[in-house]
Amino acid sequence: MPPRRVLILGATSAIAQAVARRYAQGGARLALVARNRQYLDVVAADLRIRGASALWTEVADFLELERHAALVDRAQQALGGLDIALVAHGVLPLQAEALADSRIAGLCWQTNFVSAASLLEAVGQRMEEAGRGTLGVLSSVAGDRGRAENYVYGASKAALNAYAGGLGQRLAKKGVRVVTVKPGPVATPMTAGRMRRPGLLSDVDEVARRIHRGLEAGWPVVYAPAYWRLVMTILKLLPTRIFERLRG
Amino acid sequence: MAPGETAGPSSWGRYPHVDQRALALAWASDPLPEGTEPLLPYGLGRSYGDVCLNPDGPVLLTRELRRFLAFDTQAGVLRCEAGCTLGEVAELTLPHRWFPPVVPGTRFVTVGGAVANDVHGKNHHRAGTFGRHVRALELLRGDGTRVVCGPSANTDLFRATVGGLGLTGLITWVELQLASVMGPWMEVEAVPFSGLDRFAELTATSDQTHAYTVAWVDGLARGTALGRGIFFRGNHAEGGGDLPAPRLRLSVPFDAPDALLSAPLIRAFNAVYRHWPRGGTKRLSTWKFLHPLDAVGNWNRLYGSRGLLQHQSVVPGPEAVQELLATAADSGQGSFLTVLKTFSDVPSPGLLSFPRPGWTLALDFPGRGAPTFALLEKLDGVVRAHGGRVYPAKDARMSVDTFRAGYPEWRAFAAHVDARFSSGFWRRVRGEL
Ligand SMILES: Cc1cc2nc3c(=O)[nH]c(=O)nc-3n(C[C@H](O)[C@H](O)[C@H](O)COP(=O)(O)OP(=O)(O)OC[C@H]3O[C@@H](n4cnc5c(N)ncnc54)[C@H](O)[C@@H]3O)c2cc1C
Ligand SMILES: NC(=O)c1ccc[n+]([C@@H]2O[C@H](COP(=O)([O-])OP(=O)(O)OC[C@H]3O[C@@H](n4cnc5c(N)ncnc54)[C@H](OP(=O)(O)O)[C@@H]3O)[C@@H](O)[C@H]2O)c1
């Protein structure tokens, strides 16, 4: 099998790095985009040592939507085509700050939904033209049901779920698969020092193993770890009265 | 939670219990978190006691610093961030026939932690400690400066940092000279022995013929049986073939209730040792030989919620070891997992490095309050009477006097301690400076 051609948008995310490590070990050709050059270079060096057979990097802030189309073109060209793409970037604001300052909430929605949806569309259209490819996006279990604790963030992921679901349906007939990834809480810089019970955080490598499997198989929705599917199914079915009595 | 991870910042012995804040550093190039309160780097918390705890302040999680920076496959030189584990290093380097020069009894330790405790392995008689194979490292100091040090650059700071228990600053990356191996497999042998004199003979001959030697001593034996055990020795073996990925066979999901403490524990350990091939040479994966306990995830939970206390010392030879074993046996608190190994005279590089020529004995006790602490104090007495020392990585309670007697270089070391860094261990043993 020729090496996989994988584009990672938000390549300095801890979860994205863990997924990229798995692809690198398999000798993949990688295109990495992130907004911090210094971080990106370290990630690229690591993935090269782990076995990536080609590496292309570019720096971009995804809030600059107008750059998305050309960016994806260049990545596609550098890799000589796209087998897999993963939209991974995101922010998790402190809920209390986001409620007090709507600019903080807005930045969260801009980043997690608007810029991610725009990237999905840019990649999706190119995969549609090629008639192949798997397009993954890191959403969250938080998007399945709004919870008092983090509904600002959850709303951005819920919107992303709807977008990815619709795009997946549109592209299904075109040989393109869209994979919505919904991790539970994972031990990464995003959650560091922010969990009431850090013991409930999943290990990033375990989550990445699941994501990698889901991308390779083209599953429409990937919960990571897998048990979150059951947890969220129950949580979604709970009558509102009971749900409201649950803590946090 | 994966096998390699601990739940929150606690230590492997889970004593002392502390409810600790954690900060994280995601990138080696980032500055330390703002503030003035003393921090302590925290790798994977595989230290048993409080060298990795900072009860009144935050710990700084280093596990995100897990990137390889450069790997020269010809020379076997690896530069990696300090949060990489030795297991991850081995997985990367074994296919190129390189292996970490020194590994402790578990692969779930970070490179930074291995330097800061200057860990030793079953190959100490040849390789010495981990720190001897460090070519260079970068230290991020409390004032924000970065110092590259090594055996030939900033050597004073290097000697303080190797075995420096995280107190001289944050190690961001380490450059290691790896050891050349013939392949990913090992040839190993297990030889039962009846007492310490027989152990002495076995170790004297085996240290000549085998890269790795260690013994398990039956900690529940009494009287004439005292000092019996099984001697393990091994060499990296020729022949390729992929190494099977290390496997976790079972995991302990929660604390064993105190009432059930000893029975399942003894069974679990015995199970591990029963599966050891006896008599004749057998081929085993490096994982199985070097890290037999890693097959059982979170085995420390078998010791119950009151935790486990380990006592590892180095003493001149068999008389002191016999006395330590007898002291433990007489107390009626059998040590379930007792490990014995000889240290050679390969010099240790750090001011506070634990290994020195002699015999090292490690004993494990479930935390049972006052009687356990009284026993540990007695063991310290034996160690001091013989001019030995206790291993900080395994300690949660040694006294100021025991520390100072064992580590006469402590004063020189204290001069290098960075004001922004501290630990529960250090505040406990440093005494009045
Ligand atoms: C089953 C088992 C077997 C073991 N066998 C052995 C053995 O055979 N030989 C042996 O020597 N030890 C052994 N140990 C002990 C273990 O090797 C050491 O405690 C090791 O240092 C743990 O590494 P860690 O990454 O978990 O570090 P931690 O326990 O998290 O930290 C250890 C020390 O390193 C410091 N530190 C960690 N990272 C950094 C950094 N980046 N910069 C500066 N300081 C840092 C911490 O502040 C702390 O003082 C064993 C432990 C277990 C659980
Ligand atoms: N960790 C969890 O518990 C968890 C759970 C469910 C879902 N997720 C989702 O998983 C994804 C990855 O999270 P993570 O845990 O890996 O967190 P992370 O390590 O903090 O990564 C987030 C990444 O997003 C990047 N980013 C943010 N805004 C950007 C922008 N405008 N342009 C370009 N890049 C931007 C960040 O770049 P900088 O490094 O330059 O800031 C960072 O690399 C996120 O979408 C997150 O919502 C995480």
PDB file of all heavy atoms in Angstrom, chain B residues 24-36:
ATOM      1  N   ALA B  24       0.539  22.484  33.888  1.00  0.00           N
ATOM      2  CA  ALA B  24       1.187  21.701  32.847  1.00  0.00           C
ATOM      3  C   ALA B  24       1.994  22.612  31.942  1.00  0.00           C
ATOM      4  O   ALA B  24       1.657  23.776  31.757  1.00  0.00           O
ATOM      5  CB  ALA B  24       0.142  20.942  32.028  1.00  0.00           C
ATOM      6  N   LEU B  25       3.051  22.071  31.425  1.00  0.00           N
ATOM      7  CA  LEU B  25       3.840  22.785  30.440  1.00  0.00           C
ATOM      8  C   LEU B  25       3.694  22.010  29.129  1.00  0.00           C
ATOM      9  O   LEU B  25       4.035  20.835  29.073  1.00  0.00           O
ATOM     10  CB  LEU B  25       5.313  22.829  30.872  1.00  0.00           C
ATOM     11  CG  LEU B  25       6.134  23.883  30.155  1.00  0.00           C
ATOM     12  CD1 LEU B  25       5.829  25.267  30.761  1.00  0.00           C
ATOM     13  CD2 LEU B  25       7.615  23.598  30.260  1.00  0.00           C
ATOM     14  N   ALA B  26       3.147  22.674  28.110  1.00  0.00           N
ATOM     15  CA  ALA B  26       2.850  21.945  26.878  1.00  0.00           C
ATOM     16  C   ALA B  26       4.024  21.939  25.908  1.00  0.00           C
ATOM     17  O   ALA B  26       4.139  21.054  25.080  1.00  0.00           O
ATOM     18  CB  ALA B  26       1.612  22.538  26.209  1.00  0.00           C
ATOM     19  N   TRP B  27       4.886  22.949  26.005  1.00  0.00           N
ATOM     20  CA  TRP B  27       5.966  23.077  25.028  1.00  0.00           C
ATOM     21  C   TRP B  27       7.270  23.397  25.751  1.00  0.00           C
ATOM     22  O   TRP B  27       7.286  24.234  26.653  1.00  0.00           O
ATOM     23  CB  TRP B  27       5.637  24.191  24.024  1.00  0.00           C
ATOM     24  CG  TRP B  27       4.348  23.913  23.330  1.00  0.00           C
ATOM     25  CD1 TRP B  27       3.108  24.336  23.691  1.00  0.00           C
ATOM     26  CD2 TRP B  27       4.168  23.076  22.179  1.00  0.00           C
ATOM     27  NE1 TRP B  27       2.166  23.825  22.832  1.00  0.00           N
ATOM     28  CE2 TRP B  27       2.783  23.050  21.892  1.00  0.00           C
ATOM     29  CE3 TRP B  27       5.039  22.350  21.360  1.00  0.00           C
ATOM     30  CZ2 TRP B  27       2.255  22.322  20.828  1.00  0.00           C
ATOM     31  CZ3 TRP B  27       4.515  21.634  20.298  1.00  0.00           C
ATOM     32  CH2 TRP B  27       3.139  21.626  20.037  1.00  0.00           C
ATOM     33  N   ALA B  28       8.340  22.782  25.318  1.00  0.00           N
ATOM     34  CA  ALA B  28       9.628  22.983  25.973  1.00  0.00           C
ATOM     35  C   ALA B  28      10.090  24.430  25.849  1.00  0.00           C
ATOM     36  O   ALA B  28      10.842  24.920  26.695  1.00  0.00           O
ATOM     37  CB  ALA B  28      10.667  22.038  25.364  1.00  0.00           C
ATOM     38  N   SER B  29       9.644  25.122  24.812  1.00  0.00           N
ATOM     39  CA  SER B  29      10.081  26.500  24.623  1.00  0.00           C
ATOM     40  C   SER B  29       9.242  27.491  25.435  1.00  0.00           C
ATOM     41  O   SER B  29       9.565  28.666  25.491  1.00  0.00           O
ATOM     42  CB  SER B  29      10.021  26.858  23.136  1.00  0.00           C
ATOM     43  OG  SER B  29       8.724  26.587  22.626  1.00  0.00           O
ATOM     44  N   ASP B  30       8.169  27.046  26.048  1.00  0.00           N
ATOM     45  CA  ASP B  30       7.330  27.938  26.856  1.00  0.00           C
ATOM     46  C   ASP B  30       8.053  28.312  28.150  1.00  0.00           C
ATOM     47  O   ASP B  30       8.841  27.526  28.666  1.00  0.00           O
ATOM     48  CB  ASP B  30       6.000  27.255  27.213  1.00  0.00           C
ATOM     49  CG  ASP B  30       5.001  27.289  26.059  1.00  0.00           C
ATOM     50  OD1 ASP B  30       5.320  27.904  25.023  1.00  0.00           O
ATOM     51  OD2 ASP B  30       3.921  26.693  26.202  1.00  0.00           O
ATOM     52  N   PRO B  31       7.731  29.492  28.693  1.00  0.00           N
ATOM     53  CA  PRO B  31       8.300  29.840  29.997  1.00  0.00           C
ATOM     54  C   PRO B  31       7.602  29.063  31.117  1.00  0.00           C
ATOM     55  O   PRO B  31       6.535  28.489  30.901  1.00  0.00           O
ATOM     56  CB  PRO B  31       7.991  31.336  30.126  1.00  0.00           C
ATOM     57  CG  PRO B  31       6.800  31.562  29.259  1.00  0.00           C
ATOM     58  CD  PRO B  31       6.893  30.557  28.135  1.00  0.00           C
ATOM     59  N   LEU B  32       8.211  29.053  32.288  1.00  0.00           N
ATOM     60  CA  LEU B  32       7.560  28.445  33.446  1.00  0.00           C
ATOM     61  C   LEU B  32       6.276  29.217  33.740  1.00  0.00           C
ATOM     62  O   LEU B  32       6.181  30.395  33.399  1.00  0.00           O
ATOM     63  CB  LEU B  32       8.484  28.516  34.667  1.00  0.00           C
ATOM     64  CG  LEU B  32       9.734  27.645  34.623  1.00  0.00           C
ATOM     65  CD1 LEU B  32      10.639  27.958  35.821  1.00  0.00           C
ATOM     66  CD2 LEU B  32       9.357  26.165  34.614  1.00  0.00           C
ATOM     67  N   PRO B  33       5.297  28.587  34.373  1.00  0.00           N
ATOM     68  CA  PRO B  33       4.087  29.328  34.753  1.00  0.00           C
ATOM     69  C   PRO B  33       4.468  30.531  35.608  1.00  0.00           C
ATOM     70  O   PRO B  33       5.431  30.466  36.378  1.00  0.00           O
ATOM     71  CB  PRO B  33       3.299  28.314  35.585  1.00  0.00           C
ATOM     72  CG  PRO B  33       3.860  26.980  35.261  1.00  0.00           C
ATOM     73  CD  PRO B  33       5.266  27.189  34.816  1.00  0.00           C
ATOM     74  N   GLU B  34       3.703  31.616  35.463  1.00  0.00           N
ATOM     75  CA  GLU B  34       4.007  32.816  36.239  1.00  0.00           C
ATOM     76  C   GLU B  34       3.776  32.575  37.720  1.00  0.00           C
ATOM     77  O   GLU B  34       3.026  31.675  38.095  1.00  0.00           O
ATOM     78  CB  GLU B  34       3.135  33.975  35.752  1.00  0.00           C
ATOM     79  CG  GLU B  34       3.744  34.653  34.539  1.00  0.00           C
ATOM     80  CD  GLU B  34       2.807  35.673  33.934  1.00  0.00           C
ATOM     81  OE1 GLU B  34       2.049  36.296  34.699  1.00  0.00           O
ATOM     82  OE2 GLU B  34       2.854  35.830  32.705  1.00  0.00           O
ATOM     83  N   GLY B  35       4.426  33.398  38.524  1.00  0.00           N
ATOM     84  CA  GLY B  35       4.234  33.292  39.961  1.00  0.00           C
ATOM     85  C   GLY B  35       5.556  33.092  40.662  1.00  0.00           C
ATOM     86  O   GLY B  35       6.616  33.044  40.035  1.00  0.00           O
ATOM     87  N   THR B  36       5.483  33.022  41.969  1.00  0.00           N
ATOM     88  CA  THR B  36       6.714  32.867  42.735  1.00  0.00           C
ATOM     89  C   THR B  36       6.685  31.620  43.595  1.00  0.00           C
ATOM     90  O   THR B  36       7.695  31.214  44.154  1.00  0.00           O
ATOM     91  CB  THR B  36       6.909  34.073  43.677  1.00  0.00           C
ATOM     92  OG1 THR B  36       5.687  34.257  44.404  1.00  0.00           O
ATOM     93  CG2 THR B  36       7.244  35.333  42.899  1.00  0.00           C
TER      94      THR B  36
END
